[in-house]
Amino acid sequence: MNTRTRVLTGTAVAVALGAGAFGAVSATAAPAPAAAPAALAKKSDDKVFTTSTHLTIGAATRAAQAALEAAEKENQKVTVAVVDRNGNTLVTLRGDGAGPQSYESAQRKAFTAVSWNAPTSVLVGRLAQVPNLKDIPGTLFLGGGAPVQKDGAPVAGIGVAGAPSGDLDEKYAKAGVESLGQ
């Protein structure tokens, strides 16, 4: 190798080693100091944070299973959906033989019940006064949805679809709520 090639090769190796050493030093650097507890306490006092109650996945599964079993005892083929306070689906159980339309309907009934903190059969009556309610995305104003409450506030919704009537669907949804000790 000529002198020029040796110098360039040596420089490239030195740069690579230097970059590796810099990365190792950066990775082991001390973490940034934590925020002062007094500052965090002040923000908490100013009502910056809030807490909310959520249904556990275990409880949601038990409630869905209880609703499905209540329907199966009466030979009804339904789908059960449980959504959290924000309308996100936690559990959906599609019973044997449930129609394809029941999946989405159960989710929308659960979403509607938790959104208004009321059984969907009650909300159907409100459509007479405010018919545009039905235009809100994701809602379904048919019997079959029931809210799950903690201290009067909605924490989840259970929706059932597929039985011959909304009254039956809602009966099964309420069986799911009752399985939670509500």
PDB file of all heavy atoms in Angstrom, residues 105-106 108-110 112-113 118-125 127 140-146 158-174:
ATOM      1  N   SER A 105     -73.728  -4.408  15.109  1.00  0.00           N
ATOM      2  CA  SER A 105     -74.859  -3.870  15.869  1.00  0.00           C
ATOM      3  C   SER A 105     -74.602  -3.935  17.362  1.00  0.00           C
ATOM      4  O   SER A 105     -74.901  -2.983  18.098  1.00  0.00           O
ATOM      5  CB  SER A 105     -76.138  -4.632  15.530  1.00  0.00           C
ATOM      6  OG  SER A 105     -76.480  -4.452  14.172  1.00  0.00           O
ATOM      7  N   ALA A 106     -74.043  -5.038  17.851  1.00  0.00           N
ATOM      8  CA  ALA A 106     -73.751  -5.172  19.279  1.00  0.00           C
ATOM      9  C   ALA A 106     -72.738  -4.113  19.718  1.00  0.00           C
ATOM     10  O   ALA A 106     -72.904  -3.484  20.773  1.00  0.00           O
ATOM     11  CB  ALA A 106     -73.225  -6.572  19.587  1.00  0.00           C
ATOM     12  N   ARG A 108     -72.142  -1.175  18.318  1.00  0.00           N
ATOM     13  CA  ARG A 108     -72.748   0.161  18.261  1.00  0.00           C
ATOM     14  C   ARG A 108     -73.750   0.373  19.403  1.00  0.00           C
ATOM     15  O   ARG A 108     -73.854   1.478  19.934  1.00  0.00           O
ATOM     16  CB  ARG A 108     -73.385   0.368  16.894  1.00  0.00           C
ATOM     17  CG  ARG A 108     -72.310   0.486  15.798  1.00  0.00           C
ATOM     18  CD  ARG A 108     -72.868   0.592  14.402  1.00  0.00           C
ATOM     19  NE  ARG A 108     -73.742   1.745  14.280  1.00  0.00           N
ATOM     20  CZ  ARG A 108     -74.553   1.940  13.259  1.00  0.00           C
ATOM     21  NH1 ARG A 108     -74.625   1.064  12.278  1.00  0.00           N
ATOM     22  NH2 ARG A 108     -75.315   3.020  13.206  1.00  0.00           N
ATOM     23  N   LYS A 109     -74.485  -0.662  19.783  1.00  0.00           N
ATOM     24  CA  LYS A 109     -75.400  -0.534  20.920  1.00  0.00           C
ATOM     25  C   LYS A 109     -74.618  -0.298  22.215  1.00  0.00           C
ATOM     26  O   LYS A 109     -75.010   0.529  23.048  1.00  0.00           O
ATOM     27  CB  LYS A 109     -76.271  -1.787  21.054  1.00  0.00           C
ATOM     28  CG  LYS A 109     -77.329  -1.926  19.971  1.00  0.00           C
ATOM     29  CD  LYS A 109     -78.096  -3.235  20.151  1.00  0.00           C
ATOM     30  CE  LYS A 109     -79.113  -3.472  19.057  1.00  0.00           C
ATOM     31  NZ  LYS A 109     -79.905  -4.692  19.307  1.00  0.00           N
ATOM     32  N   ALA A 110     -73.522  -1.021  22.400  1.00  0.00           N
ATOM     33  CA  ALA A 110     -72.689  -0.834  23.594  1.00  0.00           C
ATOM     34  C   ALA A 110     -72.122   0.587  23.619  1.00  0.00           C
ATOM     35  O   ALA A 110     -72.145   1.260  24.661  1.00  0.00           O
ATOM     36  CB  ALA A 110     -71.557  -1.860  23.614  1.00  0.00           C
ATOM     37  N   THR A 112     -73.364   3.267  22.199  1.00  0.00           N
ATOM     38  CA  THR A 112     -74.464   4.204  22.438  1.00  0.00           C
ATOM     39  C   THR A 112     -74.829   4.232  23.920  1.00  0.00           C
ATOM     40  O   THR A 112     -75.015   5.300  24.503  1.00  0.00           O
ATOM     41  CB  THR A 112     -75.684   3.823  21.577  1.00  0.00           C
ATOM     42  OG1 THR A 112     -75.274   3.766  20.204  1.00  0.00           O
ATOM     43  CG2 THR A 112     -76.812   4.829  21.734  1.00  0.00           C
ATOM     44  N   ALA A 113     -74.904   3.059  24.549  1.00  0.00           N
ATOM     45  CA  ALA A 113     -75.272   2.986  25.971  1.00  0.00           C
ATOM     46  C   ALA A 113     -74.244   3.691  26.849  1.00  0.00           C
ATOM     47  O   ALA A 113     -74.611   4.443  27.758  1.00  0.00           O
ATOM     48  CB  ALA A 113     -75.421   1.531  26.399  1.00  0.00           C
ATOM     49  N   ALA A 118     -77.103   5.401  29.498  1.00  0.00           N
ATOM     50  CA  ALA A 118     -78.511   4.991  29.595  1.00  0.00           C
ATOM     51  C   ALA A 118     -78.736   3.762  28.724  1.00  0.00           C
ATOM     52  O   ALA A 118     -78.047   3.574  27.715  1.00  0.00           O
ATOM     53  CB  ALA A 118     -79.423   6.124  29.125  1.00  0.00           C
ATOM     54  N   PRO A 119     -79.698   2.937  29.100  1.00  0.00           N
ATOM     55  CA  PRO A 119     -80.062   1.813  28.231  1.00  0.00           C
ATOM     56  C   PRO A 119     -80.542   2.348  26.875  1.00  0.00           C
ATOM     57  O   PRO A 119     -81.201   3.390  26.804  1.00  0.00           O
ATOM     58  CB  PRO A 119     -81.208   1.129  28.985  1.00  0.00           C
ATOM     59  CG  PRO A 119     -81.065   1.578  30.402  1.00  0.00           C
ATOM     60  CD  PRO A 119     -80.488   2.953  30.341  1.00  0.00           C
ATOM     61  N   THR A 120     -80.214   1.641  25.832  1.00  0.00           N
ATOM     62  CA  THR A 120     -80.574   2.125  24.499  1.00  0.00           C
ATOM     63  C   THR A 120     -82.083   2.170  24.281  1.00  0.00           C
ATOM     64  O   THR A 120     -82.557   2.976  23.488  1.00  0.00           O
ATOM     65  CB  THR A 120     -79.893   1.291  23.403  1.00  0.00           C
ATOM     66  OG1 THR A 120     -80.171  -0.096  23.620  1.00  0.00           O
ATOM     67  CG2 THR A 120     -78.394   1.528  23.400  1.00  0.00           C
ATOM     68  N   SER A 121     -82.844   1.353  24.997  1.00  0.00           N
ATOM     69  CA  SER A 121     -84.306   1.417  24.848  1.00  0.00           C
ATOM     70  C   SER A 121     -84.832   2.766  25.323  1.00  0.00           C
ATOM     71  O   SER A 121     -85.789   3.294  24.762  1.00  0.00           O
ATOM     72  CB  SER A 121     -84.973   0.280  25.626  1.00  0.00           C
ATOM     73  OG  SER A 121     -84.688   0.391  27.009  1.00  0.00           O
ATOM     74  N   VAL A 122     -84.217   3.338  26.341  1.00  0.00           N
ATOM     75  CA  VAL A 122     -84.604   4.667  26.829  1.00  0.00           C
ATOM     76  C   VAL A 122     -84.236   5.729  25.786  1.00  0.00           C
ATOM     77  O   VAL A 122     -84.991   6.674  25.537  1.00  0.00           O
ATOM     78  CB  VAL A 122     -83.903   4.976  28.178  1.00  0.00           C
ATOM     79  CG1 VAL A 122     -84.107   6.418  28.596  1.00  0.00           C
ATOM     80  CG2 VAL A 122     -84.401   4.021  29.252  1.00  0.00           C
ATOM     81  N   LEU A 123     -83.093   5.532  25.164  1.00  0.00           N
ATOM     82  CA  LEU A 123     -82.621   6.519  24.182  1.00  0.00           C
ATOM     83  C   LEU A 123     -83.474   6.528  22.924  1.00  0.00           C
ATOM     84  O   LEU A 123     -83.585   7.560  22.263  1.00  0.00           O
ATOM     85  CB  LEU A 123     -81.164   6.236  23.832  1.00  0.00           C
ATOM     86  CG  LEU A 123     -80.194   6.351  25.010  1.00  0.00           C
ATOM     87  CD1 LEU A 123     -78.818   5.838  24.619  1.00  0.00           C
ATOM     88  CD2 LEU A 123     -80.130   7.782  25.504  1.00  0.00           C
ATOM     89  N   VAL A 124     -84.091   5.394  22.593  1.00  0.00           N
ATOM     90  CA  VAL A 124     -84.971   5.333  21.419  1.00  0.00           C
ATOM     91  C   VAL A 124     -86.074   6.373  21.549  1.00  0.00           C
ATOM     92  O   VAL A 124     -86.433   7.042  20.583  1.00  0.00           O
ATOM     93  CB  VAL A 124     -85.558   3.910  21.245  1.00  0.00           C
ATOM     94  CG1 VAL A 124     -86.646   3.885  20.189  1.00  0.00           C
ATOM     95  CG2 VAL A 124     -84.457   2.933  20.893  1.00  0.00           C
ATOM     96  N   GLY A 125     -86.598   6.545  22.765  1.00  0.00           N
ATOM     97  CA  GLY A 125     -87.647   7.537  23.004  1.00  0.00           C
ATOM     98  C   GLY A 125     -87.189   8.959  22.756  1.00  0.00           C
ATOM     99  O   GLY A 125     -87.981   9.827  22.382  1.00  0.00           O
ATOM    100  N   LEU A 127     -85.371   9.968  20.366  1.00  0.00           N
ATOM    101  CA  LEU A 127     -85.336  10.261  18.928  1.00  0.00           C
ATOM    102  C   LEU A 127     -86.555  11.049  18.477  1.00  0.00           C
ATOM    103  O   LEU A 127     -86.473  11.804  17.510  1.00  0.00           O
ATOM    104  CB  LEU A 127     -85.224   8.969  18.116  1.00  0.00           C
ATOM    105  CG  LEU A 127     -83.859   8.305  18.096  1.00  0.00           C
ATOM    106  CD1 LEU A 127     -83.925   7.007  17.302  1.00  0.00           C
ATOM    107  CD2 LEU A 127     -82.803   9.222  17.527  1.00  0.00           C
ATOM    108  N   LEU A 140     -76.293   3.477  17.621  1.00  0.00           N
ATOM    109  CA  LEU A 140     -77.413   2.690  17.122  1.00  0.00           C
ATOM    110  C   LEU A 140     -78.513   2.753  18.172  1.00  0.00           C
ATOM    111  O   LEU A 140     -78.352   2.256  19.280  1.00  0.00           O
ATOM    112  CB  LEU A 140     -77.008   1.239  16.856  1.00  0.00           C
ATOM    113  CG  LEU A 140     -78.074   0.357  16.211  1.00  0.00           C
ATOM    114  CD1 LEU A 140     -78.509   0.918  14.850  1.00  0.00           C
ATOM    115  CD2 LEU A 140     -77.545  -1.056  16.037  1.00  0.00           C
ATOM    116  N   PHE A 141     -79.598   3.395  17.813  1.00  0.00           N
ATOM    117  CA  PHE A 141     -80.697   3.610  18.747  1.00  0.00           C
ATOM    118  C   PHE A 141     -81.748   2.521  18.600  1.00  0.00           C
ATOM    119  O   PHE A 141     -82.835   2.742  18.100  1.00  0.00           O
ATOM    120  CB  PHE A 141     -81.293   5.010  18.537  1.00  0.00           C
ATOM    121  CG  PHE A 141     -80.353   6.090  18.968  1.00  0.00           C
ATOM    122  CD1 PHE A 141     -79.424   6.618  18.086  1.00  0.00           C
ATOM    123  CD2 PHE A 141     -80.370   6.561  20.268  1.00  0.00           C
ATOM    124  CE1 PHE A 141     -78.542   7.600  18.489  1.00  0.00           C
ATOM    125  CE2 PHE A 141     -79.496   7.540  20.689  1.00  0.00           C
ATOM    126  CZ  PHE A 141     -78.572   8.062  19.797  1.00  0.00           C
ATOM    127  N   LEU A 142     -81.369   1.329  19.054  1.00  0.00           N
ATOM    128  CA  LEU A 142     -82.259   0.174  19.133  1.00  0.00           C
ATOM    129  C   LEU A 142     -82.045  -0.449  20.501  1.00  0.00           C
ATOM    130  O   LEU A 142     -80.934  -0.403  21.035  1.00  0.00           O
ATOM    131  CB  LEU A 142     -81.916  -0.862  18.060  1.00  0.00           C
ATOM    132  CG  LEU A 142     -82.080  -0.449  16.601  1.00  0.00           C
ATOM    133  CD1 LEU A 142     -81.540  -1.555  15.687  1.00  0.00           C
ATOM    134  CD2 LEU A 142     -83.534  -0.170  16.283  1.00  0.00           C
ATOM    135  N   GLY A 143     -83.077  -1.058  21.058  1.00  0.00           N
ATOM    136  CA  GLY A 143     -82.908  -1.735  22.337  1.00  0.00           C
ATOM    137  C   GLY A 143     -81.826  -2.784  22.252  1.00  0.00           C
ATOM    138  O   GLY A 143     -81.639  -3.415  21.212  1.00  0.00           O
ATOM    139  N   GLY A 144     -81.085  -2.942  23.351  1.00  0.00           N
ATOM    140  CA  GLY A 144     -80.043  -3.970  23.379  1.00  0.00           C
ATOM    141  C   GLY A 144     -78.735  -3.514  23.987  1.00  0.00           C
ATOM    142  O   GLY A 144     -77.804  -4.295  24.096  1.00  0.00           O
ATOM    143  N   GLY A 145     -78.663  -2.253  24.405  1.00  0.00           N
ATOM    144  CA  GLY A 145     -77.439  -1.753  25.024  1.00  0.00           C
ATOM    145  C   GLY A 145     -77.702  -1.323  26.457  1.00  0.00           C
ATOM    146  O   GLY A 145     -78.755  -0.765  26.758  1.00  0.00           O
ATOM    147  N   ALA A 146     -76.749  -1.591  27.338  1.00  0.00           N
ATOM    148  CA  ALA A 146     -76.880  -1.203  28.748  1.00  0.00           C
ATOM    149  C   ALA A 146     -75.544  -0.670  29.249  1.00  0.00           C
ATOM    150  O   ALA A 146     -74.499  -1.253  28.953  1.00  0.00           O
ATOM    151  CB  ALA A 146     -77.317  -2.393  29.593  1.00  0.00           C
ATOM    152  N   ILE A 158     -72.456  -2.527  27.451  1.00  0.00           N
ATOM    153  CA  ILE A 158     -72.649  -3.886  26.945  1.00  0.00           C
ATOM    154  C   ILE A 158     -73.755  -3.832  25.912  1.00  0.00           C
ATOM    155  O   ILE A 158     -74.841  -3.316  26.180  1.00  0.00           O
ATOM    156  CB  ILE A 158     -73.016  -4.865  28.080  1.00  0.00           C
ATOM    157  CG1 ILE A 158     -71.914  -4.885  29.134  1.00  0.00           C
ATOM    158  CG2 ILE A 158     -73.274  -6.268  27.513  1.00  0.00           C
ATOM    159  CD1 ILE A 158     -72.222  -5.749  30.340  1.00  0.00           C
ATOM    160  N   GLY A 159     -73.472  -4.357  24.739  1.00  0.00           N
ATOM    161  CA  GLY A 159     -74.458  -4.391  23.666  1.00  0.00           C
ATOM    162  C   GLY A 159     -74.695  -5.818  23.212  1.00  0.00           C
ATOM    163  O   GLY A 159     -73.760  -6.611  23.122  1.00  0.00           O
ATOM    164  N   VAL A 160     -75.947  -6.128  22.947  1.00  0.00           N
ATOM    165  CA  VAL A 160     -76.328  -7.455  22.459  1.00  0.00           C
ATOM    166  C   VAL A 160     -77.181  -7.265  21.214  1.00  0.00           C
ATOM    167  O   VAL A 160     -78.049  -6.384  21.176  1.00  0.00           O
ATOM    168  CB  VAL A 160     -77.118  -8.247  23.535  1.00  0.00           C
ATOM    169  CG1 VAL A 160     -77.573  -9.596  22.994  1.00  0.00           C
ATOM    170  CG2 VAL A 160     -76.281  -8.428  24.790  1.00  0.00           C
ATOM    171  N   ALA A 161     -76.940  -8.084  20.216  1.00  0.00           N
ATOM    172  CA  ALA A 161     -77.727  -8.014  18.977  1.00  0.00           C
ATOM    173  C   ALA A 161     -77.931  -9.420  18.433  1.00  0.00           C
ATOM    174  O   ALA A 161     -77.062 -10.284  18.571  1.00  0.00           O
ATOM    175  CB  ALA A 161     -77.013  -7.146  17.949  1.00  0.00           C
ATOM    176  N   GLY A 162     -79.083  -9.614  17.826  1.00  0.00           N
ATOM    177  CA  GLY A 162     -79.362 -10.883  17.165  1.00  0.00           C
ATOM    178  C   GLY A 162     -80.643 -11.561  17.592  1.00  0.00           C
ATOM    179  O   GLY A 162     -81.163 -12.414  16.877  1.00  0.00           O
ATOM    180  N   ALA A 163     -81.169 -11.206  18.763  1.00  0.00           N
ATOM    181  CA  ALA A 163     -82.440 -11.793  19.196  1.00  0.00           C
ATOM    182  C   ALA A 163     -83.568 -11.162  18.372  1.00  0.00           C
ATOM    183  O   ALA A 163     -83.370 -10.121  17.740  1.00  0.00           O
ATOM    184  CB  ALA A 163     -82.652 -11.545  20.692  1.00  0.00           C
ATOM    185  N   PRO A 164     -84.764 -11.739  18.393  1.00  0.00           N
ATOM    186  CA  PRO A 164     -85.853 -11.206  17.568  1.00  0.00           C
ATOM    187  C   PRO A 164     -86.344  -9.821  17.965  1.00  0.00           C
ATOM    188  O   PRO A 164     -87.065  -9.193  17.203  1.00  0.00           O
ATOM    189  CB  PRO A 164     -86.974 -12.231  17.742  1.00  0.00           C
ATOM    190  CG  PRO A 164     -86.376 -13.425  18.351  1.00  0.00           C
ATOM    191  CD  PRO A 164     -85.115 -13.003  19.012  1.00  0.00           C
ATOM    192  N   SER A 165     -85.971  -9.334  19.166  1.00  0.00           N
ATOM    193  CA  SER A 165     -86.416  -7.994  19.564  1.00  0.00           C
ATOM    194  C   SER A 165     -85.339  -7.300  20.385  1.00  0.00           C
ATOM    195  O   SER A 165     -84.509  -7.950  21.035  1.00  0.00           O
ATOM    196  CB  SER A 165     -87.704  -8.076  20.394  1.00  0.00           C
ATOM    197  OG  SER A 165     -87.425  -8.573  21.692  1.00  0.00           O
ATOM    198  N   GLY A 166     -85.393  -5.984  20.364  1.00  0.00           N
ATOM    199  CA  GLY A 166     -84.484  -5.193  21.174  1.00  0.00           C
ATOM    200  C   GLY A 166     -84.697  -5.413  22.652  1.00  0.00           C
ATOM    201  O   GLY A 166     -83.751  -5.324  23.449  1.00  0.00           O
ATOM    202  N   ASP A 167     -85.936  -5.716  23.047  1.00  0.00           N
ATOM    203  CA  ASP A 167     -86.219  -5.986  24.456  1.00  0.00           C
ATOM    204  C   ASP A 167     -85.448  -7.215  24.946  1.00  0.00           C
ATOM    205  O   ASP A 167     -84.900  -7.213  26.045  1.00  0.00           O
ATOM    206  CB  ASP A 167     -87.718  -6.201  24.676  1.00  0.00           C
ATOM    207  CG  ASP A 167     -88.533  -4.926  24.487  1.00  0.00           C
ATOM    208  OD1 ASP A 167     -87.944  -3.833  24.576  1.00  0.00           O
ATOM    209  OD2 ASP A 167     -89.753  -5.041  24.257  1.00  0.00           O
ATOM    210  N   LEU A 168     -85.417  -8.260  24.118  1.00  0.00           N
ATOM    211  CA  LEU A 168     -84.663  -9.457  24.488  1.00  0.00           C
ATOM    212  C   LEU A 168     -83.159  -9.156  24.517  1.00  0.00           C
ATOM    213  O   LEU A 168     -82.456  -9.544  25.448  1.00  0.00           O
ATOM    214  CB  LEU A 168     -84.950 -10.605  23.519  1.00  0.00           C
ATOM    215  CG  LEU A 168     -86.284 -11.319  23.687  1.00  0.00           C
ATOM    216  CD1 LEU A 168     -86.495 -12.339  22.574  1.00  0.00           C
ATOM    217  CD2 LEU A 168     -86.366 -11.989  25.043  1.00  0.00           C
ATOM    218  N   ASP A 169     -82.675  -8.459  23.489  1.00  0.00           N
ATOM    219  CA  ASP A 169     -81.258  -8.094  23.455  1.00  0.00           C
ATOM    220  C   ASP A 169     -80.873  -7.333  24.730  1.00  0.00           C
ATOM    221  O   ASP A 169     -79.852  -7.610  25.355  1.00  0.00           O
ATOM    222  CB  ASP A 169     -80.945  -7.215  22.234  1.00  0.00           C
ATOM    223  CG  ASP A 169     -80.915  -7.981  20.925  1.00  0.00           C
ATOM    224  OD1 ASP A 169     -80.749  -9.215  20.947  1.00  0.00           O
ATOM    225  OD2 ASP A 169     -81.050  -7.328  19.870  1.00  0.00           O
ATOM    226  N   GLU A 170     -81.712  -6.393  25.121  1.00  0.00           N
ATOM    227  CA  GLU A 170     -81.413  -5.588  26.298  1.00  0.00           C
ATOM    228  C   GLU A 170     -81.490  -6.410  27.587  1.00  0.00           C
ATOM    229  O   GLU A 170     -80.716  -6.201  28.515  1.00  0.00           O
ATOM    230  CB  GLU A 170     -82.339  -4.379  26.378  1.00  0.00           C
ATOM    231  CG  GLU A 170     -81.799  -3.320  27.310  1.00  0.00           C
ATOM    232  CD  GLU A 170     -82.414  -1.976  27.032  1.00  0.00           C
ATOM    233  OE1 GLU A 170     -82.345  -1.497  25.874  1.00  0.00           O
ATOM    234  OE2 GLU A 170     -82.975  -1.399  27.977  1.00  0.00           O
ATOM    235  N   LYS A 171     -82.398  -7.354  27.617  1.00  0.00           N
ATOM    236  CA  LYS A 171     -82.501  -8.247  28.774  1.00  0.00           C
ATOM    237  C   LYS A 171     -81.173  -8.995  28.971  1.00  0.00           C
ATOM    238  O   LYS A 171     -80.678  -9.111  30.096  1.00  0.00           O
ATOM    239  CB  LYS A 171     -83.647  -9.244  28.537  1.00  0.00           C
ATOM    240  CG  LYS A 171     -83.781 -10.331  29.566  1.00  0.00           C
ATOM    241  CD  LYS A 171     -84.914 -11.276  29.163  1.00  0.00           C
ATOM    242  CE  LYS A 171     -84.965 -12.510  30.017  1.00  0.00           C
ATOM    243  NZ  LYS A 171     -86.032 -13.431  29.587  1.00  0.00           N
ATOM    244  N   TYR A 172     -80.575  -9.454  27.877  1.00  0.00           N
ATOM    245  CA  TYR A 172     -79.316 -10.181  27.960  1.00  0.00           C
ATOM    246  C   TYR A 172     -78.155  -9.238  28.310  1.00  0.00           C
ATOM    247  O   TYR A 172     -77.259  -9.609  29.074  1.00  0.00           O
ATOM    248  CB  TYR A 172     -79.042 -10.933  26.663  1.00  0.00           C
ATOM    249  CG  TYR A 172     -80.205 -11.802  26.224  1.00  0.00           C
ATOM    250  CD1 TYR A 172     -80.594 -11.863  24.896  1.00  0.00           C
ATOM    251  CD2 TYR A 172     -80.940 -12.551  27.148  1.00  0.00           C
ATOM    252  CE1 TYR A 172     -81.659 -12.650  24.488  1.00  0.00           C
ATOM    253  CE2 TYR A 172     -82.015 -13.334  26.753  1.00  0.00           C
ATOM    254  CZ  TYR A 172     -82.369 -13.381  25.425  1.00  0.00           C
ATOM    255  OH  TYR A 172     -83.436 -14.151  25.033  1.00  0.00           O
ATOM    256  N   ALA A 173     -78.199  -8.029  27.779  1.00  0.00           N
ATOM    257  CA  ALA A 173     -77.161  -7.043  28.120  1.00  0.00           C
ATOM    258  C   ALA A 173     -77.208  -6.742  29.618  1.00  0.00           C
ATOM    259  O   ALA A 173     -76.166  -6.659  30.284  1.00  0.00           O
ATOM    260  CB  ALA A 173     -77.350  -5.763  27.305  1.00  0.00           C
ATOM    261  N   LYS A 174     -78.405  -6.603  30.152  1.00  0.00           N
ATOM    262  CA  LYS A 174     -78.553  -6.327  31.589  1.00  0.00           C
ATOM    263  C   LYS A 174     -78.081  -7.517  32.425  1.00  0.00           C
ATOM    264  O   LYS A 174     -77.571  -7.336  33.531  1.00  0.00           O
ATOM    265  CB  LYS A 174     -79.999  -5.961  31.916  1.00  0.00           C
ATOM    266  CG  LYS A 174     -80.352  -4.564  31.416  1.00  0.00           C
ATOM    267  CD  LYS A 174     -81.786  -4.195  31.716  1.00  0.00           C
ATOM    268  CE  LYS A 174     -82.084  -2.785  31.238  1.00  0.00           C
ATOM    269  NZ  LYS A 174     -83.481  -2.400  31.478  1.00  0.00           N
TER     270      LYS A 174
END
